Amino acid sequence: MASDSSASLSSARRLGARWRMRLRDQAVVVCVSLGSIALVAGVAGRPILGLIAAMAVLAAAIMQAGAPRRQPAISASARALGGDPEHEAHPSGLELAAAIADPLIVCDANGVVLIANAAASLAFGRIQPGELVALRFRSPEMHDLIEAALAGSHVRPIDYAERVPIERSFKVSVTRIGEDGRFALHFRDQSEARRIDRMRADFIANASHELRTPLASISGFIETLRGPARNDAEARERFLQIMHTQTGRMARLIDDLLSLSRLEMKPLAGAGTAVDLVALTRQVTDSLGQMIRDNEMELTLDLPAQPVRVLANADEIVQVVENLVENACKYGQAGKRLDITLSSDDEEAALSVRDHGPGIPAEHIPRVTERFYRVDVETSRAQKGTGLGLAIVKHILTRHKGRLTIRSTPGDGATFTMHLPLAKDQTAR
């Protein structure tokens, strides 16, 4: 009752305002007309005739003000789409649908499409008004949803998946429009959320597995040392060495996980300093010289004579170059060569680290920067790899608006190239 009273009051106010505007316009016309008649009659010397004419004009003005104004006709299509000629500033149904980022399809009581916004056509192919919406979808769950909407039943949102051209997941809901059976299908894209959920689940499973393996090994050796090997000095020394290796592996894994977590907490690197990649590369190869010699690899450096500066966090770029060089030493040692090349153009610097080992099969290249992804699990573990090095490289470069490219031919090694934007001032010291 309160809402009806409020609506009536609002309607009365609008009607009163409209009448006031109309009477104001009529009053102006009447005043001008009466003034003109009085002036002409006075000049002509016939005031009685002027008075009669003025009364006639006043009566006609009153009748015109009381007459109802004819409203413009509204077409059925305009009413269906929400058009209102009297209030042209109000958006139509087409405009509202186009403003929605998610796919939206509006249908009539027979399931015929009235409106399909651009997002719907982009997701499911071009949808024309006048076609049956059920013909657009083949899955049984979508047909059940549409049939329930046509029957006027209460419809709960459902999960719907599209696998062509790429896999996408949607949450589909039905919304009633008016009392004539029209309804809207709203598709909320859940693809990114599902992908993140899968990544989170995979990450927890992989991290648990990587930590469980050395823990199981350490636990087994402790039981052996407390039992059969209690007094065996030779076995005790051997087992303690293995336990030390396994604890080192866990420490490296935890350090890498912490590094990855810190990087993800701050997706952008923020303000950096001008870092000379020439000096930084020499510093890293000097610090890793022992590892290079232990793997009996021959290092070749091809660096410019002049500094090549990028705006970056120096410690993080050092970590990137170290990870790339360590990666080449661990998995490319069969080639016995390690080539590091630095070049630049007008926009960016490119530092390439190439090994001449077995290389990476093409199907693995898109995934080698994923957490815990390994081309050869046994080789990676034997080389004390955690499966996180390239993931850290990718995150650091992304933070610095850079990128990592990988080229490899099986049997001819692999090349990992770090691309970073150049600092604008290359003369800074």
Side-chain angles (χ1 to χ4, degrees), residues 258-279:
L258 290 175
S259 296
L260 206 52
S261 177
R262 283 193 296 267
L263 293 171
E264 291 177 342
M265 290 286 288
K266 297 180 180 179
L268 294 178
T273 58
V275 177
D276 178 13
L277 289 182
V278 176

Side-chain angles (χ1 to χ4, degrees), residues 387-424:
L388 295 173
L390 292 179
I392 292 173
V393 167
K394 180 181 177 181
H395 274 74
I396 291 176
L397 293 180
T398 300
R399 279 164 49 83
H400 288 80
K401 299 180 181 179
R403 68 189 192 280
L404 176 70
T405 58
I406 304 171
R407 292 183 294 105
S408 180
T409 301
D412 194 28
T415 302
F416 293 81
T417 304
M418 170 188 77
H419 303 266
L420 283 173
L422 287 175
K424 293 183 180 179

Side-chain angles (χ1 to χ4, degrees), residues 52-76:
I52 294 172
M55 294 296 292
V57 171
L58 182 61
I62 293 173
M63 292 177 64
Q64 178 65 24
R69 181 171 296 180
R70 184 177 179 181
Q71 299 293 328
I74 303 176
S75 66

Side-chain angles (χ1 to χ4, degrees), residues 262-335:
R262 283 193 296 267
L263 293 171
E264 291 177 342
M265 290 286 288
K266 297 180 180 179
L268 294 178
T273 58
V275 177
D276 178 13
L277 289 182
V278 176
L280 184 145
T281 303
R282 294 189 184 279
Q283 171 192 336
V284 171
T285 53
D286 288 344
S287 65
L288 297 179
Q290 188 59 48
M291 172 184 286
I292 296 172
R293 289 189 291 272
D294 288 345
N295 286 283
E296 300 179 354
M297 300 185 75
E298 179 184 350
L299 174 64
T300 301
L301 288 178
D302 183 5
L303 305 177
Q306 299 298 323
V308 177
R309 294 184 174 88
V310 295
L311 195 63
N313 180 304
D315 291 337
E316 292 186 2
I317 301 304
V318 166
Q319 187 176 9
V320 168
V321 180
E322 285 180 345
N323 283 1
L324 293 180
V325 173
E326 289 177 359
N327 194 70
C329 289
K330 291 174 182 177
Y331 307 111
Q333 56 182 317

